[in-house]
Amino acid sequence: MKLTGEEVERVARLARLRLSPEEQNSLANQLDEILEYMQKLNRLDTSQVPPFTHAVEIVNAFREDKVTNEPNVDALLANAPDKDQTFFRVPKIIE
Amino acid sequence: MNLPALTIDQASAMLRNRELTSRELTEAIFDRIAATDEKIRAYITLCREPALEQAKAADERLRREDHPPLLLGIPIAIKDNFLTRGVRTTCASKILGGFAPPYDATTIKTLRAAGAVFTGKTNLDEFAMGSSVENSAFFPTRNPWNIERVPGGSSGGSAAAVAADQCIAALGTDTGGSIRQPAACCGVVGLKPTYGRVSRFGIIAFASSMDQVGPMTKTVKDCAILLEALAGYDSADSTSVNRVVPRYRHELTDDIKGIRVGIPKEYFVSGMEPEVEGAVRQAVTVLEKSGAVLEEISLPHTEYAIAVYYIIATAEASSNLARYDGMRFGYRARAKDLTETYMLTRDEGFGPEVKRRILLGTYVLSAGYYDAYYLKAQQVRTLIKNDFDAAFERCDAIVTPTAPTTAFKIGEKSEDPLKMYLSDIYTISINLAGLPAISLPCGFDSAGLPIGLQIIGKHFDEPTVLRIAHCYEQSNDWHQRKPNL
């Protein structure tokens, strides 16, 4: 198996990552090497093995639906890259 | 008296006996940081002023309270992936910009209530992805024992700060060895608790099915004290386990007679430095002399652990890191439309290793590859957990090296990601199986670098792990040695 630069580009788009052409090539080689290493898992027959879910048996953690955090608009907006009054300002989403 | 070298146990006794104030101790720690951190660079952010305020409040409580908490007035360093209210939290990434969290992680809230003093936020590999702190977006941290060497990672800043006496104890997180491997590299004690034992709420998520918070300390007893404060149920963490917290420090006896210690034959294979193997085998002999019963055990799927881990951890990371989109907090790049904004923000905000792991994780989860990689890895993860279940039928704890080598040179492995991943070989399976494990010093190599011993326990059996570790620690003075800074 050989991972191509185009394939890396496709995955990068899925992950919303822009890569330079140099990055695409070096990452294609590195990922290829890592994925090659992972092929060793195919030596194991796992057809009868259930996939892992939890390390420790736990049941769903339900709790009452009640507000515990104080709403604090200023504190939440303090980290916003862009804001307008009490809103986050973001690039246009619908053309 | 050399105040920064004190342990929690010693400092706490002195504080309660009025032989020392938290202010004196905190000032001594900041003097020590000022004298040494230019060289080591363990801290990203120092919190001197708030720490002195906390120390003052602690001194008042110490005068007032009859039974003050053990951590009252104790200076503790925090890895910079814990949310700390109002204090810049970076995760050693540019993408968080000047992020100052509006709330505390549960563990931080707990330590605040116990009156701990927070010295600052320590360096790590960006998003805790790495084994050397070389992946920090800001600067590498250096090993106090030899500044040409890495401190291990990803909690390398915390490990170095403890080793250099720049704090009394520290907090770390461990997803594949990130507490234990740096503890080994820096000659300190580090414990990764059972998955679910300590709240993950407010820890910046990397791989949620494996992330755990744990103590990094100068002695095993301190590790027990800090764990006792951190452990407990948290309704804000859906995988937190509601189970009584033992009084760990009372479990530390010198008696390990009859405890069955398993030695996995698969862990003593090629790739381990002979001096590491020698020190670990010597430690095993000491345990045997103390009354432990040795059992050779087998963990047959060990060789698959790294492949499994780097599929599952990257898959979870690619999902967890999708939140860094530049919209509500952190860095945002300027671009012509929304998609470009996402792509540029993430391109400029994330470093190479984080991008590599996001891509790998996106790839193994993408259409057509899910069954071949992700599902396959989860099946093999079951086999790895079954290996431990079977082994624990025959023993009460498992003893191994923490890492195959001592601290490597800065730059030695940074060009080869796969080679770097292999340094996690002895720690990763434990996260996959959700088990508790400690690393503590078991000697030095001929270059004067510390060697770590790992002790693995059954789920929630931190008491046995700590007891064996404490018993071993009593037999030597490795933990008392200090780097020459």
Side-chain angles (χ1 to χ4, degrees):
Chain A
M1 196 187 65
K2 194 79 197 148
L3 202 61
T4 62
E6 290 75 59
E7 219 168 343
V8 171
E9 163 77 23
R10 182 185 68 84
V11 178
R13 282 203 74 80
L14 287 174
R16 296 287 182 270
L17 279 174
R18 191 194 66 164
L19 301 176
S20 66
E22 302 82 66
E23 274 182 309
Q24 259 177 46
N25 284 329
S26 69
L27 280 164
N29 289 333
Q30 287 169 347
L31 294 180
D32 208 55
E33 194 192 342
I34 296 166
L35 289 168
E36 183 62 38
Y37 176 79
M38 287 165 176
Q39 297 303 319
K40 64 157 55 179
L41 297 183
N42 293 327
R43 284 189 237 144
L44 295 169
D45 176 8
T46 51
S47 52
Q48 305 301 314
V49 182
F52 180 95
T53 50
H54 288 292
V56 178
E57 287 297 318
I58 45 172
V59 289
N60 270 342
F62 291 115
R63 63 172 192 262
E64 248 186 277
D65 184 14
K66 65 175 188 225
V67 177
T68 51
N69 51 332
E70 307 153 37
N72 186 340
V73 175
D74 290 342
L76 291 174
L77 281 175
N79 286 301
D82 198 0
K83 62 192 164 189
D84 185 2
Q85 299 164 55
T86 57
F87 300 99
F88 292 105
R89 252 175 92 100
V90 299
K92 199 169 172 186
I93 289 170
I94 302 162
E95 291 300 328
Chain B
M1 174 175 257
N2 184 9
L3 296 178
L6 291 174
T7 63
I8 297 176
D9 191 39
Q10 294 164 339
S12 173
M14 288 175 70
L15 288 168
R16 276 172 293 151
N17 294 335
R18 311 276 165 86
E19 294 160 37
L20 175 70
T21 65
S22 176
R23 193 181 170 92
E24 287 163 349
L25 181 59
T26 304
E27 278 176 348
I29 289 287
F30 279 99
D31 288 347
R32 176 72 180 168
I33 293 170
T36 54
D37 208 40
E38 224 165 282
K39 231 190 223 174
I40 306 299
R41 308 215 71 185
Y43 285 92
I44 292 175
T45 303
L46 286 172
C47 301
R48 190 170 195 278
E49 292 314 312
L52 290 171
E53 283 299 311
Q54 289 163 344
K56 195 176 153 205
D59 285 329
E60 279 161 23
R61 272 183 76 179
L62 280 160
R63 276 193 294 274
R64 218 169 48 225
E65 291 180 23
D66 293 332
H67 300 287
L70 283 175
L71 296 178
L72 183 57
I74 303 292
I76 290 176
I78 303 162
K79 187 181 183 181
D80 205 12
N81 61 349
F82 287 72
L83 299 193
T84 43
R85 188 175 188 146
V87 174
R88 186 173 76 132
T89 297
T90 70
C91 224
S93 180
K94 286 188 208 151
I95 207 154
L96 275 146
F99 179 66
Y103 63 95
D104 276 331
T106 299
T107 42
I108 297 300
K109 212 187 242 179
T110 306
L111 294 192
R112 248 190 235 288
V117 171
F118 299 135
T119 53
K121 309 292 293 284
T122 57
N123 204 8
L124 62 152
D125 289 290
E126 183 177 4
F127 283 99
M129 296 177 184
S131 313
S132 67
V133 195
E134 289 166 291
N135 297 332
S136 167
F138 306 124
F139 46 81
T141 294
R142 292 167 181 278
N143 191 314
W145 292 92
N146 180 336
I147 58 167
E148 304 300 315
R149 305 269 167 167
V150 302
S154 65
S155 312
S158 284
V162 174
D165 290 329
Q166 296 178 343
C167 57
I168 302 299
L171 296 186
T173 61
D174 189 318
T175 305
S178 279
I179 286 175
R180 292 160 286 155
Q181 184 260 12
C185 288
C186 291
V188 303
V189 181
L191 177 101
K192 182 204 92 74
T194 306
Y195 184 77
R197 180 76 283 187
V198 179
S199 169
R200 291 182 296 112
F201 183 73
I203 306 307
I204 296 177
F206 161 18
S208 306
S209 78
M210 292 178 279
D211 295 344
Q212 257 310 275
V213 169
M216 303 182 78
T217 58
K218 296 171 190 177
T219 63
V220 175
K221 189 171 187 189
D222 276 10
C223 199
I225 292 170
L226 194 46
L227 177 65
E228 200 171 309
L230 295 169
Y233 178 66
D234 179 13
S235 62
D237 172 359
S238 63
T239 58
S240 173
V241 176
N242 198 350
R243 206 178 150 116
V244 173
V245 177
R247 306 201 64 190
Y248 296 110
R249 67 182 191 278
H250 297 306
E251 307 275 351
L252 305 176
T253 61
D254 290 342
D255 185 14
I256 58 165
K257 274 190 194 65
I259 289 187
R260 296 168 305 161
V261 170
I263 313 296
K265 59 179 186 209
E266 292 83 1
Y267 280 50
F268 293 85
V269 288
S270 60
M272 197 192 309
E273 279 175 0
E275 286 183 296
V276 171
E277 175 162 4
V280 171
R281 292 213 184 266
Q282 184 60 38
V284 168
T285 311
V286 170
L287 294 177
E288 192 178 21
K289 279 193 194 131
S290 308
V293 180
L294 305 185
E295 290 276 346
E296 189 184 81
I297 56 156
S298 175
L299 299 167
H301 296 94
T302 298
E303 63 165 310
Y304 302 101
I306 286 177
V308 170
Y309 176 85
Y310 280 95
I311 291 170
I312 293 169
T314 58
E316 293 183 17
S318 73
S319 166
N320 273 326
L321 270 58
R323 78 190 64 186
Y324 301 101
D325 58 3
M327 296 297 124
R328 290 144 299 159
F329 60 92
Y331 173 74
R332 181 193 293 178
R334 301 284 149 199
K336 62 176 177 7
D337 60 24
L338 184 67
T339 308
E340 277 283 292
T341 307
Y342 290 148
M343 310 257 302
L344 274 181
T345 297
R346 292 163 65 81
D347 177 34
E348 291 167 14
F350 290 135
E353 179 62 21
V354 175
K355 284 186 193 171
R356 191 150 48 227
R357 295 206 195 185
I358 289 174
L359 283 175
L360 193 57
T362 307
Y363 181 85
V364 299
L365 288 174
S366 66
Y369 298 105
Y370 180 90
D371 284 3
Y373 290 101
Y374 187 73
L375 184 65
K376 183 80 184 181
Q378 291 290 22
Q379 288 171 315
V380 180
R381 188 177 181 183
T382 298
L383 297 175
I384 290 169
K385 179 177 183 285
N386 292 349
D387 281 356
F388 280 105
D389 288 347
F392 281 127
E393 298 274 313
R394 300 186 50 212
C395 63
D396 305 303
I398 298 171
V399 171
T400 78
T402 306
T405 67
T406 51
F408 44 90
K409 286 201 178 85
I410 292 176
E412 189 180 324
K413 298 186 185 184
S414 51
E415 292 307 310
D416 187 344
L418 193 54
K419 200 168 165 196
M420 186 74 92
Y421 297 169
L422 294 173
S423 61
D424 301 336
I425 188 151
Y426 301 126
T427 48
I428 258 176
S429 308
I430 287 82
N431 299 76
L432 290 168
L435 299 164
I438 200 169
S439 176
L440 75 160
C442 71
F444 289 81
D445 70 6
S446 45
L449 296 165
I451 300 170
L453 179 74
Q454 179 173 245
I455 305 170
I456 309 160
K458 298 175 187 171
H459 288 126
F460 296 102
D461 198 12
E462 283 86 356
T464 299
V465 170
L466 288 163
R467 184 178 308 152
I468 297 169
H470 179 72
C471 177
Y472 174 72
E473 194 183 63
Q474 301 308 300
S475 75
N476 62 70
D477 70 347
W478 309 124
H479 60 288
Q480 283 159 357
R481 298 201 191 173
K482 296 285 180 188
N484 192 7
L485 281 169

